[in-house]
Amino acid sequence: EDKVVQSPLSLVVHEGDTVTLNCSYEVTNFRSLLWYKQEKKAPTFLFMLTSSGIEKKSGRLSSILDKKELFSILNITATQTGDSAIYLCAVENSGYALNFGKGTSLLVTP
Amino acid sequence: DAEITQSPRHKITETGRQVTLACHQTWNHNNMFWYRQDLGHGLRLIHYSYGVQDTNKGEVSDGYSVSRSNTEDLPLTLESAASSQTSVYFCASSEGPNQPQHFGDGTRLSIL
């Protein structure tokens, strides 16, 4: 059975801190791993990772995939209160459907 | 701008009633998906479609059905609503391999 596990489940940090969110997976026929940010409504796409060791970066956010050890991390540097959200990790199999983890709830306090 | 829209945004209904949630996308994507999101479970796949006349069951398909008569729409039907189907429902679409899924804003469904 495919499995995606995120840790920690919740996290509280102060503005300016750096955070690392973790995602490990066991999926047959792996195609890609995706990170989404969810505030009040729809999950919004952050990154898609298909190859090991290649960092994807967007502003203060970055992510990397390790296909040998079956995990990914999402880093957020210099956190801001606007980063408060649930961060979702999902793995895409060969059928294009996404298998989601339960998410990490991040709260950034002023 | 192309987009994906869900309707209604909120719905309250009674057990045993049939309910249909609409999903419409203007990206012309072949792949469309329905998920439900519940506390403690995250997002789980209900049904998905790779194109017109194609539908497939996901992890939690019991009690739900979909039909795909055109590229733009994938309505989700609850044949006989049950209280366990109270949830937030998200529709998503993607262009194809190695392309991310984009989500609608969700429908909050309460079944009393």
Side-chain angles (χ1 to χ4, degrees):
Chain A
E1 183 181 322
D2 293 351
K3 193 188 305 184
V4 179
V5 179
Q6 292 186 244
S7 64
L9 289 181
S10 64
L11 193 55
V12 181
V13 300
H14 293 295
E15 261 190 323
D17 287 351
T18 293
V19 298
T20 298
L21 310 183
N22 304 293
C23 177
S24 64
Y25 63 91
E26 295 175 26
V27 175
T28 53
N29 301 315
F30 174 91
R31 184 182 288 276
S32 65
L33 185 143
L34 297 91
W35 286 96
Y36 287 84
K37 177 182 182 182
Q38 185 176 26
E39 295 174 269
K40 293 192 190 308
K41 297 181 184 175
T44 54
F45 171 71
L46 295 174
F47 299 111
M48 173 181 264
L49 303 153
T50 56
S51 302
S52 275
I54 299 175
E55 185 182 51
K56 292 278 183 92
K57 199 169 170 63
S58 175
R60 297 177 293 101
L61 277 66
S62 64
S63 183
I64 197 161
L65 174 67
D66 186 328
K67 288 170 75 172
K68 182 179 176 187
E69 300 298 328
L70 306 183
F71 78 90
S72 173
I73 60 172
L74 175 69
N75 279 322
I76 309 174
T77 59
T79 51
Q80 302 171 357
T81 54
D83 295 326
S84 296
I86 297 173
Y87 290 84
L88 300 169
C89 173
V91 177
E92 182 186 31
N93 59 25
S94 58
Y96 313 135
L98 295 178
N99 191 342
F100 283 85
K102 294 181 180 179
T104 294
S105 177
L106 173 65
L107 178 62
V108 181
T109 61
Chain B
D1 274 348
E3 59 181 3
I4 181 165
T5 55
Q6 293 184 234
S7 61
R9 294 296 315 280
H10 303 272
K11 184 170 182 68
I12 301 173
T13 191
E14 296 174 343
T15 55
R17 291 191 180 263
Q18 184 180 82
V19 178
T20 296
L21 309 183
C23 176
H24 179 80
Q25 52 98 2
T26 58
W27 283 303
N28 205 36
H29 287 167
N30 282 324
N31 301 334
M32 295 184 74
F33 308 85
W34 274 104
Y35 298 87
R36 61 179 287 177
Q37 187 173 35
D38 304 286
L39 274 175
H41 287 282
L43 281 147
R44 292 179 291 173
L45 182 66
I46 306 172
H47 281 287
Y48 57 103
S49 168
Y50 294 143
V52 175
Q53 302 301 331
D54 176 77
T55 61
N56 305 280
K57 293 181 179 181
E59 177 190 355
V60 291
S61 61
D62 286 350
Y64 304 95
S65 63
V66 293
S67 61
R68 188 91 180 269
S69 59
N70 59 51
T71 302
E72 296 80 15
D73 299 289
L74 187 69
L76 177 72
T77 297
L78 287 67
E79 303 293 345
S80 177
S83 56
S84 60
Q85 294 176 307
T86 292
S87 187
V88 180
Y89 290 86
F90 287 100
C91 179
S93 71
S94 72
E95 191 172 352
N98 296 323
Q99 297 296 322
Q101 290 183 25
H102 296 281
F103 286 77
D105 282 343
T107 293
R108 184 174 295 275
L109 178 63
S110 297
I111 300 166
L112 307 177

